[in-house]
Amino acid sequence: MVHSLRTGGDLDFDDISRVVPWIETAADLGLDLDAEQRAEPRAFKSHLSWTQVPKGGRYLVAVRDPRDALVSVHRFFEGWFFEPGSIDVETLGRARFLENSDYYRHLASWWSHRDDPEVLLLAYEHMLAAPEATVRRVAAFIGVEATDERLATALDQSSLATMQANHDKYDDLMMRALSERNCDLPPGGASGKVGTGGSGSHRGQLSEAFLAELDATWRESLGAEFGLDSYQALLEALPGP
């Protein structure tokens, strides 16, 4: 969305990380974070928390229901980080969401700065419900003139249908190729990020017992720190587009 808005619709790239560098992987991929970019404002991707991320920029932060995020990350990891079928979704969830609280610490770090003028915190569910309003809000935040044509292009290019049609541009092609070379992985493997869209993907994939454990971990972390008893409570506290 950001790249489309700032360029007016550039899709002439093989991997989004080539035009919007991922800070944490740039050195491994030989990408110069100080190099000129195709348009202004300069844009970067990161998974870093507020405390870790380089300061001095403006920060668009997307949050998502952790239950859906778990299902998504399992689909992404399977066949790349572990053999298909070798680790089920709840085993992965126990390691990454129950025994390790990085997800909650990361979200807490940004939630604490949600009202800062240089931070725009967006919920995936709100973005799905109001895509046009989201594009307009993002354009205003990054300082791009929101002409009707530019907005329409960004709305189309960030839609599920167009991203599915161009999924290879968003699938970490360069990192996949690098890991295949360095880790002796089978070539040509999948690292797909563009799924089926929507929210609620955890339904039918996570047991009630495991969901109860996730809910308890949320209450013990974000609930105790911010008074948010659930992800739904977070959504209700976060202004929509």
Side-chain angles (χ1 to χ4, degrees):
M1 189 184 297
V2 168
H3 185 64
S4 181
L5 280 169
R6 69 176 182 164
T7 62
D10 170 46
L11 285 178
D12 186 21
F13 54 86
D14 60 340
D15 185 328
I16 188 64
S17 291
R18 202 180 295 280
V19 291
V20 180
W22 186 353
I23 293 174
E24 295 92 298
T25 66
D28 289 333
L29 296 175
L31 298 175
D32 181 4
L33 293 176
D34 294 321
E36 291 186 11
Q37 294 193 9
R38 294 190 180 179
E40 295 287 340
R42 290 158 57 77
F44 303 90
K45 169 188 169 178
S46 178
H47 285 169
L48 296 173
S49 67
W50 165 259
T51 55
Q52 298 168 315
V53 76
K55 300 304 186 289
R58 296 174 67 78
Y59 306 93
L60 273 163
V61 185
V63 301
R64 186 182 188 185
D65 188 323
R67 300 168 298 184
D68 290 345
L70 167 58
V71 171
S72 178
V73 78
H74 181 268
R75 179 183 58 80
F76 176 63
F77 279 8
E78 192 170 40
W80 186 359
F81 290 80
F82 52 81
E83 294 289 339
S86 63
I87 300 177
D88 64 68
V89 64
E90 291 191 7
T91 298
L92 181 66
R94 191 168 300 283
R96 294 184 64 89
F97 287 79
L98 297 181
E99 297 167 2
N100 185 324
S101 58
D102 279 352
Y103 168 90
Y104 304 98
R105 285 195 296 268
H106 182 277
L107 179 51
S109 78
W110 285 107
W111 186 257
S112 297
H113 292 272
R114 67 192 182 280
D115 295 324
D116 293 1
E118 69 272 21
V119 174
L120 178 58
L121 195 64
L122 299 172
Y124 180 67
E125 293 78 10
H126 290 165
M127 297 163 75
L128 288 175
E132 183 175 347
T134 298
V135 174
R136 289 184 181 277
R137 194 175 179 192
V138 170
F141 183 73
I142 67 174
V144 169
E145 183 181 359
T147 64
D148 289 343
E149 181 180 4
R150 192 168 291 252
L151 286 170
T153 299
L155 185 61
D156 172 69
Q157 291 186 345
S158 59
S159 70
L160 178 62
T162 300
M163 291 192 71
Q164 284 178 330
N166 295 279
H167 67 88
D168 55 321
K169 297 181 183 293
Y170 308 106
D171 287 352
D172 279 330
L173 170 68
M174 292 190 294
M175 277 303 296
R176 174 74 204 199
L178 179 66
S179 62
E180 288 175 354
R181 293 194 301 270
N182 290 354
C183 302
D184 195 27
L185 295 173
S191 54
K193 285 186 175 180
V194 183
T196 58
S199 61
S201 59
H202 67 276
R203 297 188 182 97
Q205 299 201 48
L206 302 176
S207 68
E208 291 300 320
F210 185 77
L211 288 172
E213 289 188 77
L214 282 177
D215 290 345
T217 302
W218 177 284
R219 290 192 297 271
E220 292 165 4
S221 53
L222 295 168
E225 186 171 358
F226 301 108
L228 301 168
D229 288 340
S230 65
Y231 182 74
Q232 183 60 39
L234 180 146
L235 286 181
E236 292 170 0
L238 189 64

Short mmCIF file of all heavy atoms in Angstrom, two decimals, residues 4 67 93 108 145:
data_model
loop_
_atom_site.label_atom_id
_atom_site.label_comp_id
_atom_site.label_asym_id
_atom_site.label_seq_id
_atom_site.Cartn_x
_atom_site.Cartn_y
_atom_site.Cartn_z
N SER A 4 2.78 1.55 -3.35
CA SER A 4 1.86 1.95 -4.41
C SER A 4 1.51 3.42 -4.29
O SER A 4 1.50 4.16 -5.29
CB SER A 4 0.59 1.09 -4.36
OG SER A 4 -0.31 1.45 -5.39
N ARG A 67 -4.58 -15.22 17.32
CA ARG A 67 -5.03 -16.56 16.94
C ARG A 67 -4.92 -16.74 15.43
O ARG A 67 -4.46 -17.78 14.93
CB ARG A 67 -6.46 -16.79 17.42
CG ARG A 67 -6.60 -16.67 18.95
CD ARG A 67 -8.05 -16.60 19.39
NE ARG A 67 -8.71 -15.41 18.86
CZ ARG A 67 -9.96 -15.06 19.15
NH1 ARG A 67 -10.68 -15.83 19.98
NH2 ARG A 67 -10.49 -13.98 18.64
N GLY A 93 2.34 -22.86 18.15
CA GLY A 93 1.75 -21.81 18.97
C GLY A 93 2.21 -21.87 20.41
O GLY A 93 2.43 -20.83 21.05
N ALA A 108 2.95 -4.83 23.08
CA ALA A 108 2.92 -3.89 24.20
C ALA A 108 3.81 -2.69 23.95
O ALA A 108 3.46 -1.55 24.30
CB ALA A 108 3.34 -4.60 25.48
N GLU A 145 -0.02 13.05 -1.62
CA GLU A 145 -1.25 13.67 -2.10
C GLU A 145 -2.22 12.59 -2.58
O GLU A 145 -1.91 11.81 -3.48
CB GLU A 145 -0.96 14.64 -3.24
CG GLU A 145 -2.19 15.38 -3.73
CD GLU A 145 -1.89 16.33 -4.88
OE1 GLU A 145 -0.71 16.43 -5.28
OE2 GLU A 145 -2.85 16.96 -5.38
#
